[in-house]
């Protein structure tokens, strides 16, 4: 409870700062014009008569009767409707009509927060209807884009509205369950941040309040209901409709996204059958797009513009001939292209988790994934991931296994997989696995991590655990080792270890434990 309160306080500070810097001072009516900007602030009637506050940016000097491709931008969670003005202006300057609207339940838009529910998806279509009726938008060339919440709504809208021909979904989710409940573990800081931001800037409805309360309190009696709620809001559950509609889908995310980790985007990308592109870069949630929202040069937004130019304007800019998977390493900052996500994992190296190690639960060993939004942003800009002294980690509270030193650099690319056998003294528990790059002095730099929770296990009976760490691109220097560390407490995640519980990790001869590390083929 203390950890949740602290996270909510941090959430409040972060959102208050964003609100202070971005909240609009005033709104004009539908006929209003912001002097000298070419921006109209309008009211759009959404689903069920709910008023959505929006703005429209159109190309300057457009001739009468000329149609322009349309891009619709739903706002991010807790952000005001002016979030995308810099990008909207750039898009309008290149010939697009852009309509950005505040998602229902937030700021001055009406209604309650639906968390990308059916009303949110219906709102997206209502905004398209309005744009076709009130602007020179071309009904044959309609795109949607957004960051975070706007990305999730855009993907879901593409499943329900076949008029949408192209999507750029940035720092979003395709699978809400895998995003904030991966490994059957609540991503505590992420959920508290979203919940706190929702209460500060919007109006959560009764359903969201119940879901958030059950989630943060680990109400297992409502687990199936929470999962069903999340699936309804996951584009991964509507792949058939998205593929049938055939929209060109661009996905962009950060390796260290602590709200919507990259694995679920990669899995979704592989199952898309239409034109598609996947881009992963260093950073945390929405930090890869942040400078672009300020109007500064930004690789993610540059790609999004090229994507729309190709699939809404028909421009022969070559983006469709490039490798569809583009990865930027956390270590070198360079881009690498791959034909698909499977190719990223083509070269696997295993090291064994030999022997038996026993750890006491409920105590933080010092191995941690950091702080939501902050830690991986520092890694993005300063290349400073969380560090530990591996030799000094208390073995009573952490299992530690190390590989041999490598004579050559090991370029980790993709998803590290862990397989082990666990025996618990209790029926429920949580473990968190960390992969470290360990230098000659024993200092470990975090490469990746992920949690795993179990329930209803027979105490004293071994069971297998298969865990995928969050995907990454990290170069381990020559002469360094890889180390796997497993403990039971991390401030990022809820933990379900009863007081006094012990976990034993073993490697039976019939089912050896191991770490499988995907390495870039040279």
């Amino acid at each position: 409870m203390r950890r949740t309160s602290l996270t909510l306080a941090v959430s409040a500070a972060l959102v208050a700062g964003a609100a202070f810097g971005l909240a609009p001072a005033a709104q004009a009516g539908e006929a209003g014009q912001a002097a000298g900007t070419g921006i109209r602030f309008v009211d759009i009637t959404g689903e069920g008569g709910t008023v959505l506050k929006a703005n429209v940016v159109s190309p300057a000097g457009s001739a009468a009767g000329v149609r322009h491709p349309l891009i619709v931008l739903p706002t991010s969670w807790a952000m005001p409707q002016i979030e995308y003005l810099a990008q909207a202006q750039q898009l309008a300057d290149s010939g697009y009509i852009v309509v950005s609207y505040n998602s229902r339940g937030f700021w001055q838009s009406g209604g309650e927060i639906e968390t990308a529910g059916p009303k949110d998806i219906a709102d997206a279509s209502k905004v398209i209807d309005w744009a076709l009726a009130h602007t020179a938008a071309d009904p044959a060339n309609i795109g949607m884009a957004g960051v975070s919440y706007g990305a999730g709504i855009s993907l879901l809208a593409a499943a329900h509205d076949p008029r949408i021909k192209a999507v750029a979904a940035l720092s979003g989710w395709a699978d809400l369950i895998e995003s904030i409940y991966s490994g059957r573990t609540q991503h505590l800081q992420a959920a508290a941040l979203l919940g706190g931001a929702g209460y500060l800037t919007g109006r959560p409805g009764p359903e969201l309040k119940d879901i958030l309360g059950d989630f943060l309190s680990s109400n297992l009696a409502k687990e199936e209901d929470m999962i069903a709620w999340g699936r309804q809001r996951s584009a991964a559950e509507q792949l058939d409709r998205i593929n049938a509609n055939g929209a060109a889908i661009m996905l962009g995310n950060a390796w260290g996204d602590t709200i919507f980790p990259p694995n679920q985007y990669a899995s979704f990308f592989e199952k898309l059958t239409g034109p598609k592109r996947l881009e992963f870069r260093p950073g945390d949630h929405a930090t890869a797009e942040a400078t672009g929202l300020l109007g500064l040069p930004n690789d993610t937004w540059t790609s999004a513009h090229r994507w729309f130019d190709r699939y809404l304007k028909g421009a022969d800019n070559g983006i469709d001939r490039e490798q569809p998977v583009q990865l930027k390493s956390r270590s070198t900052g360079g881009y690498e292209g791959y034909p698909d996500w499977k190719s990223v994992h083509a070269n696997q190296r295993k090291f064994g988790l030999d022997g038996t190690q026993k750890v006491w639960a409920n105590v933080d060993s010092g191995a941690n994934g950091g702080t939501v939004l902050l830690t991986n942003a520092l890694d993005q800009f300063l290349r400073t991931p969380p560090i530990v002294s591996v030799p000094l980690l208390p073995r009573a509270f952490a299992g530690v296994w190390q590989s041999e030193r490598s004579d050559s650099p090991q370029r980790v690319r993709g998803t590290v997989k862990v397989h082990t056998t666990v025996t618990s003294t209790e029926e429920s528990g949580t473990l968190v696995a960390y992969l470290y790059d360990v230098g000659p002095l024993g200092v470990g730099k975090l490469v990746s991590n992920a949690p795993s929770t179990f329930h209803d296990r027979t105490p004293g009976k071994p069971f297998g655990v298969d865990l995928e760490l969050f995907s990454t691109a990290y170069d381990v220097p020559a002469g360094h080792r890889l180390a796997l560390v497993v403990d039971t407490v991390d401030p990022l995640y809820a933990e379900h270890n009863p007081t006094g519980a012990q976990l034993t990790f073993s490697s039976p001869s019939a089912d050896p434990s191991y770490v499988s590390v995907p390495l870039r083929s040279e």
Side-chain angles (χ1 to χ4, degrees):
M1 178 62 70
R2 191 165 116 184
R3 189 184 305 140
T4 302
S5 300
L6 176 60
T7 306
L8 284 168
V10 173
S11 304
L14 289 170
V15 176
F20 181 81
L22 294 173
Q27 294 274 353
E30 182 164 326
Q33 183 84 19
T37 63
I39 300 166
R40 283 193 298 149
F41 290 97
V42 302
D43 290 350
I44 298 176
T45 302
E47 178 68 11
T50 296
V51 174
L52 306 174
K53 295 295 183 177
N55 57 70
V56 183
V57 187
S58 301
S62 178
V66 175
R67 293 284 180 178
H68 299 274
L70 168 68
I71 295 178
V72 174
L73 302 170
T75 54
S76 303
W77 185 271
M79 296 300 286
Q81 58 144 305
I82 61 170
E83 174 186 10
Y84 300 113
L85 279 185
Q87 285 301 316
Q89 189 65 64
Q90 291 180 19
L91 287 164
D93 289 345
S94 62
Y96 293 94
I97 290 174
V98 183
V99 180
S100 175
Y101 69 96
N102 226 128
S103 303
R104 70 165 52 225
F106 286 106
W107 293 90
Q108 292 144 317
S109 283
E112 296 175 328
I113 300 171
E114 296 286 330
T115 322
K119 292 180 181 179
D120 286 307
I121 309 314
D123 283 345
S125 292
K126 293 285 189 180
V127 172
I128 293 173
D129 294 341
W130 183 93
L132 295 177
H134 294 86
T135 74
D138 181 357
N141 291 292
I142 297 171
M144 285 192 70
V147 175
S148 185
Y149 193 45
I153 290 174
S154 295
L155 284 177
L156 287 162
H160 292 269
D161 195 328
R163 296 175 296 180
I164 299 169
K165 304 302 180 187
V167 171
L170 312 176
S171 287
W173 79 91
D175 189 326
L176 193 56
I177 303 302
E178 282 301 307
S179 293
I180 61 173
Y181 195 51
S182 69
R184 210 178 174 187
T185 308
Q186 296 98 323
H187 292 209
L188 186 63
Q189 287 188 14
L193 175 65
L194 293 172
Y199 275 94
L200 280 169
T201 64
R203 297 168 298 284
E207 184 180 38
L208 176 57
K209 291 178 181 178
D210 288 345
I211 288 290
L212 191 61
D214 290 336
F215 187 83
L216 291 175
S217 66
S218 303
N219 186 355
L220 288 176
K222 294 295 185 69
E223 184 180 34
E224 290 187 7
D225 293 340
M226 288 186 283
I227 289 174
W229 180 87
R231 283 177 175 163
Q232 185 185 34
R233 290 157 170 79
S234 297
E237 296 291 323
Q238 302 188 41
L239 263 166
D240 290 346
R241 298 183 69 160
I242 292 174
N243 287 333
N245 288 342
I249 306 291
M250 173 187 156
L251 306 170
N253 207 352
W255 293 119
D257 194 321
T258 46
I259 296 180
F260 303 129
N263 303 44
Q264 43 94 29
Y265 250 16
S267 176
F268 178 71
F269 169 83
E270 284 292 87
K271 298 169 186 173
L272 292 170
T273 58
K276 58 185 180 178
R277 185 176 177 91
L278 177 68
E279 299 185 354
F280 285 150
R281 297 178 174 85
D284 207 309
H285 183 65
T287 63
E289 300 85 26
T291 56
L293 294 176
L294 300 175
L296 301 174
N298 180 276
D299 288 357
T300 306
W301 284 105
T302 296
S303 289
H305 286 225
R306 293 179 65 217
W307 192 250
F308 287 131
D309 287 349
R310 174 65 186 87
Y311 290 103
L312 298 183
K313 288 183 177 180
D316 186 15
N317 57 16
I319 195 168
D320 53 325
R321 296 188 294 275
E322 296 171 0
Q323 298 274 41
V325 176
Q326 295 288 321
L327 310 182
K328 188 174 185 180
S329 168
R330 291 165 52 199
S331 303
T332 66
Y335 284 95
E336 303 164 2
Y338 298 84
D340 50 39
W341 183 247
K342 293 189 295 291
S343 300
V344 179
H345 296 79
N347 180 27
Q348 296 278 331
R349 179 199 172 193
K350 287 186 178 182
F351 69 89
L353 306 179
D354 300 326
T356 298
Q357 298 196 34
K358 181 181 295 185
V359 302
W360 290 92
N362 305 118
V363 177
D364 192 337
S365 71
N368 285 313
T371 302
V372 66
L373 292 185
L374 301 178
T375 298
N376 293 316
L378 290 174
D379 186 41
Q380 174 186 357
F381 295 110
L382 303 177
R383 295 184 187 171
T384 55
I387 62 172
V388 296
S389 174
V390 173
L392 297 181
L393 285 170
R395 297 313 198 256
F397 309 119
V400 180
W401 299 263
Q402 296 192 72
S403 71
E404 298 295 325
R405 289 189 177 88
S406 176
D407 294 333
S408 59
Q410 301 177 83
R411 295 181 172 86
V412 181
R413 299 291 185 272
T415 308
V416 175
K417 298 181 180 181
V418 177
H419 173 75
T420 189
T421 294
V422 178
T423 305
S424 175
T425 58
E426 304 288 343
E427 65 175 15
S428 295
T430 297
L431 60 95
V432 186
Y434 310 87
L435 187 72
Y436 285 100
D437 157 25
V438 184
L441 299 180
V443 175
K445 296 182 178 180
L446 186 64
V447 177
S448 187
N449 77 99
S452 179
T453 293
F454 58 88
H455 297 288
D456 302 322
R457 292 289 180 178
T458 302
K461 184 177 180 179
F463 59 93
V465 171
D466 288 288
L467 178 60
E468 291 189 350
L469 306 192
F470 301 131
S471 302
T472 194
Y474 180 97
D475 294 354
V476 180
H480 285 210
R481 303 174 186 266
L482 288 168
L484 184 79
V485 176
V486 181
D487 71 3
T488 62
V489 177
D490 189 308
L492 283 173
Y493 312 114
E495 55 104 352
H496 298 264
N497 300 293
T499 302
Q502 287 182 292
L503 300 181
T504 299
F505 300 92
S506 58
S507 182
S509 57
D511 185 21
S513 298
Y514 62 85
V515 177
S516 181
V517 182
L519 301 177
R520 178 185 172 190
S521 299
E522 299 301 334

